[in-house]
């Protein structure tokens, strides 16, 4: 699909729909567009997580950013497939991994080496609404390998209400995406410490967490 | 044919919005000076609030000068925003998603019925239909407590954010027997008075408030703020009397009522916030909170004002 056409579609229809009708608000989202290359790390509750994170990008940043997904969920219907891969720029890794016998880590590493930015959900799958499940340790390894690229923590709140796992009914709800400051990790730390650091930097953005 | 172009603006609208322009500019300038002199949390909040008031003023201007269809679109969108905020904070189970979707669908339908006067249906009948639909779809819930909660909360939300503000459209659409009434000016009179009432109850409370009326539910409400606020609203009612065909005594009754119901509406929605345990209904309006935090008094005054006007005019004939 023509990228200019896609961007026009995004700016005129998709973005207003997300913000005005569905009710997703983003705080500090400009940060992302100021970065040369980045890794967004966010918690995952709904398909709208990816849509929200992508909708805040400018066109040039948008074209070189890929949300990462396994093929399982998105491959269900033609519509979902079209929306995710063509509109939202989602990169599926399962196929490449099985055909070329590469590990997930190698594929992502390769993308970053090419100068692409990626969006990661370290929980792996959409968890229960409002809960943060265990992070996969691959995130820490990847960040350690690419210590020069800043990671941006994003806390997504209330997305699970809009389209929970297993539901097909999209309902308007107020949801907020809190963007944190870009950070570089200390590659001397071990994986567990890094995972904890990443998790805390996401949690620290939750306003109900910082001022109980 | 539907009119979608500019109406010829009555003289009164020009006056009242010029007055508002001067008032808001004065406030902006004053708060800017205050912030420059000594920056504090209060001055920052006042500046944010005034900025939001500018936007509300612009929206009111659009309602005032554009044909009725735009007023209906704007008010139904505000209704939708308020409903979305309420649904977000109320403790509803995911089993009620179908009922919630129905309520969302009912919002444009309800306003369309009022605006187009379809089959001369009484629009509140839709509310009754909605009640049965909510009941029907909630019964799939396993536990009686969940069903009861869904029915109460959803029906309450629709009542609060759909039925109450729809009276603003009724004010515009009512066929008044008195030929001196210009419905659009009447609606402006109401919106202006409610807003001034809010502002002055807040201001007098901040300046002179000592006796707290409800320290637990709404710590900002004071006896002094309430009484002085209502008195200021009475004065503004007399000032804005040129928009309406009311006599002096009728104006006093109407503005006094707006002052009291505005206070009660504010109090009710604050009490709900405390029960749920949140500070604001959302982040839509910087400085104020959510849309519901702003329109709370408008919601409760609208039906009272509408029926009072219809009743007063009935007596007047």
């Amino acid at each position: 699909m023509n990228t200019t056409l896609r961007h026009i579609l995004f700016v005129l229809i998709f973005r207003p729909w997300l913000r005005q009708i569905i009710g997703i608000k983003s705080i500090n989202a400009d940060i992302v567009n100021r970065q040369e290359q980045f890794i967004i790390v966010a918690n995952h509750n709904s398909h709208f997580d990816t849509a929200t994170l992508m909708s805040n990008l400018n066109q040039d940043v948008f074209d070189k950013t890929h949300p990462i997904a396994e093929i399982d969920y998105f491959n269900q219907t033609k519509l979902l497939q079209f929306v995710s891969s063509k509109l939202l720029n989602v990169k599926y890794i399962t196929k490449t991994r099985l055909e070329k016998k590469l590990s997930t880590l190698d594929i992502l590493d390769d993308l970053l080496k090419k100068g692409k930015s990626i969006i990661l959900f370290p929980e792996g799958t959409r968890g229960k609404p409002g809960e943060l499940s265990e992070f996969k340790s691959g995130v820490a390894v990847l960040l350690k390998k690419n210590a020069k690229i800043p990671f941006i923590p994003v806390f997504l709140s209330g997305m699970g209400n809009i389209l929970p796992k297993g539901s097909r009914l999209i309902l308007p709800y107020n949801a907020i995406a809190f963007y944190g400051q870009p950070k570089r990790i200390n590659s001397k730390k071990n994986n567990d410490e890094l995972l904890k650091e990443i998790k805390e930097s996401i949690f620290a953005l939750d306003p109900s967490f910082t001022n109980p | 044919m539907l009119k979608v172009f500019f109406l010829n603006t009555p003289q009164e609208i020009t006056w009242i919005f010029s007055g508002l322009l001067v008032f808001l500019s004065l406030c902006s300038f004053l708060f800017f000076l205050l912030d420059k002199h000594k920056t504090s949390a209060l001055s920052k909040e006042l500046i944010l609030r005034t900025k939001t008031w500018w936007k509300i003023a612009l929206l009111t201007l659009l309602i005032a000068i554009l044909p009725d269809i735009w007023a209906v679109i704007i008010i139904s969108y505000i209704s939708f925003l308020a409903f979305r905020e309420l649904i977000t904070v109320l403790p509803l189970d995911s089993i009620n998603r179908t009922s919630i979707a129905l309520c969302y669908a009912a919002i444009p339908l309800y306003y369309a019925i009022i605006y187009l006067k379809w089959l001369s249906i009484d629009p509140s009948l839709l509310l009754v239909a909605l009640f049965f639909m909510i009941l029907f779809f909630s019964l799939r819930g396993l536990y009686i407590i969940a069903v009861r909660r869904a029915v109460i909360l959803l029906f309450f939300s629709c009542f609060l954010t759909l039925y109450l503000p729809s009276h603003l459209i009724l004010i515009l659409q009512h066929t008044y027997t008195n030929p001196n009434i210009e419905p659009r000016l009447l609606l402006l009179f109401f919106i202006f008075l409610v807003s001034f009432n809010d502002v002055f109850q807040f201001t007098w409370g901040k300046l002179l408030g000592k006796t707290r009326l409800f320290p637990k539910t709404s710590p900002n409400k004071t006896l002094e703020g309430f009484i002085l606020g209502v008195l200021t609203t009475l004065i503004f009612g007399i000032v804005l009397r040129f928009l309406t065909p009311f006599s002096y005594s009728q104006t006093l009754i109407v503005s006094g009522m707006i002052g009291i119901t505005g206070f009660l509406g504010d109090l009710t929605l604050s009490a709900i916030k405390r029960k749920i345990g949140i500070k604001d209904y959302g982040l839509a309006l910087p400085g104020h909170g959510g849309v519901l935090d702003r329109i709370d008094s408008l919601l409760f005054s609208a039906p009272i004002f509408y029926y009072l006007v219809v009743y007063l005019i009935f007596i007047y004939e």
Side-chain angles (χ1 to χ4, degrees):
Chain A
M1 192 190 222
N2 188 330
T3 51
T4 320
L5 184 71
R6 176 172 71 186
H7 199 69
I8 291 171
L9 208 66
F10 234 83
V11 171
L12 289 185
I13 298 170
F14 198 65
R15 199 184 281 174
W17 178 70
L18 272 186
R19 292 186 186 170
Q20 310 304 332
I21 306 295
I22 299 297
I24 297 171
K25 208 174 165 69
S26 302
I27 292 178
N28 260 344
D30 291 343
I31 284 179
V32 187
N33 291 318
R34 283 190 228 122
Q35 303 298 318
E36 190 72 20
Q37 195 183 4
F38 54 83
I39 300 170
I40 289 181
V41 185
N43 58 331
H44 198 24
N45 282 325
S46 162
H47 286 321
F48 274 80
D49 295 344
T50 321
T52 309
L53 292 173
M54 290 306 280
S55 76
N56 289 320
L57 302 177
N58 292 341
Q59 190 184 356
D60 48 335
V61 187
F62 190 105
D63 293 337
K64 60 172 186 128
T65 306
H66 293 288
I68 307 298
E70 293 284 341
I71 210 148
D72 323 15
Y73 283 112
F74 292 104
N75 210 15
Q76 283 173 346
T77 64
K78 280 261 189 304
L79 180 73
L80 258 181
Q81 208 175 11
F82 172 79
V83 168
S84 56
S85 64
K86 295 288 189 299
L87 270 183
L88 293 175
N89 229 356
V90 172
K91 197 89 178 171
Y92 300 109
I93 49 172
T94 315
K95 209 175 164 191
T96 334
R97 200 179 60 206
L98 293 180
E99 280 175 3
K100 296 189 179 169
K101 303 223 164 57
L102 291 169
S103 71
T104 310
L105 218 60
D106 291 335
I107 299 171
L108 299 185
D109 207 38
D110 199 40
L111 273 177
L112 290 172
K113 288 275 177 329
K114 279 183 195 157
K116 306 271 188 192
S117 301
I118 57 175
I119 296 177
L120 285 181
F121 299 108
E123 287 166 281
T125 173
R126 292 167 295 160
K128 282 183 187 167
E131 281 175 29
L132 200 65
S133 25
E134 273 310 306
F135 275 21
K136 298 203 168 159
S137 59
V139 189
V141 182
L142 186 73
L143 284 177
K144 223 163 148 179
K145 264 189 160 176
N146 300 279
K148 275 183 217 154
I149 303 170
F151 82 95
I152 302 173
V154 179
F155 180 76
L156 298 160
S157 137
M159 300 285 173
N161 289 329
I162 297 170
L163 182 65
K165 200 173 181 174
S167 174
R168 285 186 178 179
L169 188 63
I170 298 172
L171 283 183
Y173 266 97
N174 283 340
I176 312 173
F178 298 94
Y179 284 70
Q181 292 298 326
K183 283 176 190 165
R184 285 191 172 75
I185 53 151
N186 180 358
S187 49
K188 277 172 195 153
K189 285 186 179 173
N190 69 30
N191 287 355
D192 284 346
E193 279 173 344
L194 281 178
L195 269 188
K196 209 176 154 218
E197 191 189 321
I198 296 167
K199 210 168 180 173
E200 269 167 11
S201 60
I202 293 178
F203 254 136
L205 298 167
D206 183 0
S208 60
F209 176 74
T210 41
N211 335 295
Chain B
M1 208 180 96
L2 293 174
K3 273 203 217 163
V4 284
F5 300 108
F6 282 81
L7 293 171
N8 28 349
T9 320
Q11 193 86 56
E12 286 92 337
I13 291 184
T14 321
W15 292 343
I16 190 170
F17 277 99
S18 316
L20 185 66
L21 187 72
V22 173
F23 180 74
L24 274 179
S25 312
L26 215 65
C27 286
S28 290
F29 184 64
L30 202 71
F31 298 146
F32 174 74
L33 282 186
L34 184 74
D35 192 55
K36 202 125 206 225
H37 175 65
K38 194 175 160 228
T39 308
S40 63
L42 182 69
S43 69
K44 282 265 177 285
E45 195 199 332
L46 285 174
I47 286 176
L48 271 182
R49 271 179 181 251
T50 324
K51 262 189 194 162
T52 307
W53 276 116
W54 275 106
K55 286 179 201 158
I56 296 171
L58 188 71
L59 213 60
T60 319
L61 181 67
L62 289 182
I63 291 178
I65 60 173
L66 292 176
D68 280 5
I69 178 76
W70 290 102
V72 176
I73 290 173
I74 291 172
I75 290 170
S76 53
Y77 184 62
I78 292 173
S79 209
F80 164 75
L81 289 181
F83 183 73
R84 197 174 69 190
E85 278 176 2
L86 214 51
I87 288 302
T88 305
V89 295
L90 289 177
L92 286 160
D93 302 315
S94 58
I95 193 117
N96 300 316
R97 288 176 69 81
T98 327
S99 315
I100 297 175
L102 272 175
C103 296
Y104 272 122
I107 296 174
L109 192 64
Y110 195 84
Y111 282 96
I113 288 178
I114 294 179
Y115 178 67
L116 300 168
K117 297 179 177 161
W118 276 348
L119 307 167
S120 66
I121 301 176
D122 180 359
S124 41
L125 273 180
L126 187 71
L127 213 65
V128 179
L130 201 61
F131 176 74
F132 283 110
M133 296 286 253
I134 293 170
L135 189 65
F136 176 73
F137 281 103
S138 308
L139 282 173
R140 296 186 311 164
L142 285 175
Y143 304 105
I144 190 67
I145 295 174
V147 173
R148 200 163 61 193
R149 196 161 65 186
V151 172
I152 294 171
L153 290 183
L154 270 179
F155 188 68
F156 166 77
S157 307
C158 287
F159 179 80
L160 201 65
T161 60
L162 178 58
Y163 180 69
L164 295 185
S166 71
H167 285 87
L168 296 174
I169 307 295
L170 287 181
I171 294 171
L172 273 183
Q173 295 277 308
H174 189 78
T175 31
Y176 297 95
T177 42
N178 187 336
N180 295 328
I181 287 185
E182 172 66 58
R184 190 170 292 266
L185 296 183
L186 205 61
L187 182 66
L188 274 189
F189 172 80
F190 173 67
I191 294 178
F192 268 77
L193 222 53
V194 170
S195 313
F196 276 123
N197 179 51
D198 271 3
V199 170
F200 283 100
Q201 292 208 1
F202 173 82
T203 316
W204 289 123
K206 280 265 176 199
L207 288 176
L208 303 168
K210 283 190 185 72
T211 332
R212 289 191 171 173
L213 288 171
F214 310 94
K216 269 186 191 160
T217 37
S218 190
N220 282 330
K221 303 248 175 328
T222 56
L223 188 64
E224 293 83 357
F226 172 57
I227 290 172
L228 287 171
V230 172
L231 284 178
T232 321
T233 309
L234 290 180
I235 296 167
F236 266 104
I238 297 292
V239 172
L240 295 178
R241 200 180 69 97
F242 66 93
L243 295 171
T244 66
F246 300 152
S247 67
Y248 280 104
S249 56
Q250 285 172 332
T251 314
L252 286 180
I253 295 172
V254 168
S255 12
M257 247 355 223
I258 287 178
I260 294 167
T261 49
F263 176 80
L264 291 178
D266 207 343
L267 187 69
T268 312
L269 285 180
S270 296
I272 297 169
K273 277 195 287 190
R274 294 299 163 272
K275 279 270 185 293
I276 304 172
I278 50 172
K279 198 182 151 284
D280 286 326
Y281 282 107
L283 302 166
L285 305 173
H288 296 264
V291 174
L292 266 178
D293 291 293
R294 184 66 273 127
I295 62 166
D296 46 7
S297 40
L298 192 82
L299 293 180
F300 279 67
S301 317
I304 307 276
F305 179 77
Y306 172 70
Y307 291 111
L308 209 56
V309 166
V310 172
Y311 179 70
L312 274 181
I313 288 155
F314 189 64
I315 296 284
Y316 190 66
E317 297 298 292

